[in-house]
Amino acid sequence: MAAHRRSRQRPVGGTTARAAVTVVLAGTATAAGFDGAAHAAPRPAPAGADVDRLYREAEVATEKYNGAKEEADSARERLRDLQDETARAQARLNKAREALGAVAAAQYRAGGLDPALRLMLSDDPDAYLDGAALAERAGSRHHAELGRVRAQLREIEKLRGAARVEVKTLTTRRAELGRHKRTITEKLSAARQALSRMSPEERAGITGGTGRAARSAGVTARDTALSQAPNARAAQAVAYAHQKLGSPYVWGATGPDAFDCSGLVLAAYRSAGVSLPRTTYAQIDAGRRVSRSELLPGDLVFFYSGISHVGLYIGNGQMIHAPNPSAPVRVAPVDQMPFAGATRVV
């Protein structure tokens, strides 16, 4: 009996104990696994994602800078025209004032006596009557000159008011230029720092090939693109862009040796005698919209929802564009970026 009692009270051991421990540990591990999954750190973005984002943000700021600069240049030109017109109006006013002063001086010298009394005292009534008629005509001329002076004063004041408006516009645009320039500088500086932390292989994926490689990649498609262009001006724009393969990207540049994205297409069509607006968001409205399936060499292709990037289509799903400060003007697939629309300029 005692042996039987000792047997019933024996603690669990051996295989049973090991199985219990295994179950407990497995449960603990499972719970830890679920908890870890719930709080897992987000997967890191690709190495070049931050650089691409910074370049896009810099390009948005660049297009805003280009637009503000275009408006500032226009305001400066209008102000210069107003200043020139004001100077001419002031010269006309000075001349009218001199004429008015001459008339007033003549009347002052002839004045002082009642006309009837002057007639009675005159030694030569006929001469006096002739002089009286002249004075009357002089009086009419006086009023006419006075009217011209008043009109010219109003004209000058109007011109000066318009000039004040242009000065205010120019001041505002200059402030915008400063803000956008600071944004561009900050974004590009951050992009350079991010690039410096990347491996050579990662940097090569962003910067692409050298200028020589870019030119070589484009030569094979050039003749086909020129033959498929809808007209001579589009063909000339494509030919110009091919000539600029390998040129550096410089924000705000429109050639002939460096370009930003909108500056490249502007220069390409400028070489064909076609004037385009300066910015991507104005260039998209500079011609007839075409669908992606209708694209022909010479069409402008735009990217991103904010219409912040543009390239020149050259056929076979390819374009020539100025990508960013770390990559030269080069050939790239249209599918490389989110397509936003296309325009046929001519």
Side-chain angles (χ1 to χ4, degrees), residues 113-322:
L113 290 176
D114 180 83
L117 182 59
R118 291 176 61 199
L119 177 58
M120 287 187 293
L121 296 176
S122 176
D123 294 332
D124 188 351
D126 289 334
Y128 170 75
L129 289 174
D130 290 340
L134 180 62
E136 184 178 353
R137 288 195 300 273
S140 299
R141 191 163 65 251
H142 170 84
H143 289 298
E145 291 293 346
L146 186 60
R148 277 193 288 272
V149 167
R150 286 172 175 164
Q152 287 161 357
L153 283 169
R154 287 194 296 269
E155 179 189 7
I156 289 174
E157 185 53 38
K158 183 177 179 180
L159 289 169
R160 286 174 175 167
R164 285 192 291 270
V165 171
E166 295 303 337
V167 167
K168 185 176 180 181
T169 299
L170 186 56
T171 301
T172 300
R173 295 295 172 260
R174 282 173 173 166
E176 288 180 13
L177 286 172
R179 289 196 301 273
H180 297 319
K181 185 174 182 178
R182 285 191 295 273
T183 299
I184 295 165
T185 302
E186 290 169 2
K187 299 297 182 183
L188 293 183
S189 176
R192 283 192 296 270
Q193 291 175 11
L195 279 170
S196 69
R197 294 191 294 269
M198 295 167 63
S199 68
E201 293 78 11
E202 291 170 332
R203 282 196 297 273
I206 294 174
T207 60
T210 64
R212 180 179 300 175
R215 285 189 290 272
S216 176
V219 167
T220 56
R222 181 182 57 197
D223 293 341
T224 301
L226 295 178
S227 67
Q228 293 176 348
N231 53 62
R233 287 177 292 183
Q236 170 57 33
V238 171
Y240 180 94
H242 273 280
Q243 293 169 3
K244 299 304 178 179
L245 288 170
S247 298
Y249 178 106
V250 174
W251 68 269
T254 60
D257 301 318
F259 307 87
D260 62 20
C261 70
S262 56
L264 175 64
V265 299
L266 181 149
Y269 268 100
R270 183 174 58 202
S271 76
V274 178
S275 179
L276 289 180
R278 180 62 183 92
T279 62
T280 53
Y281 44 83
Q283 288 173 352
I284 197 171
D285 294 323
R288 178 174 66 86
R289 297 288 185 94
V290 293
S291 67
R292 190 165 182 168
S293 62
E294 297 175 305
L295 287 174
L296 291 173
D299 291 345
L300 308 186
V301 283
F302 299 89
F303 303 93
Y304 302 108
S305 59
I307 318 297
S308 60
H309 191 75
V310 63
L312 189 70
Y313 188 70
I314 59 171
N316 297 321
Q318 302 288 304
M319 65 176 173
I320 294 176
H321 73 139

Side-chain angles (χ1 to χ4, degrees), residues 67-147:
K69 186 175 185 303
E70 188 175 43
E71 292 175 1
D73 290 344
S74 296
R76 190 179 296 108
E77 185 174 348
R78 290 192 301 269
L79 179 59
R80 186 165 52 246
D81 291 343
L82 286 167
Q83 289 171 336
D84 291 344
E85 181 59 28
T86 301
R88 288 191 293 270
Q90 186 68 52
R92 292 193 296 269
L93 174 62
N94 292 342
K95 187 175 180 180
R97 279 175 167 166
E98 289 172 5
L100 183 61
V103 171
Q107 287 188 340
Y108 176 79
R109 287 193 299 270
L113 290 176
D114 180 83
L117 182 59
R118 291 176 61 199
L119 177 58
M120 287 187 293
L121 296 176
S122 176
D123 294 332
D124 188 351
D126 289 334
Y128 170 75
L129 289 174
D130 290 340
L134 180 62
E136 184 178 353
R137 288 195 300 273
S140 299
R141 191 163 65 251
H142 170 84
H143 289 298
E145 291 293 346
L146 186 60

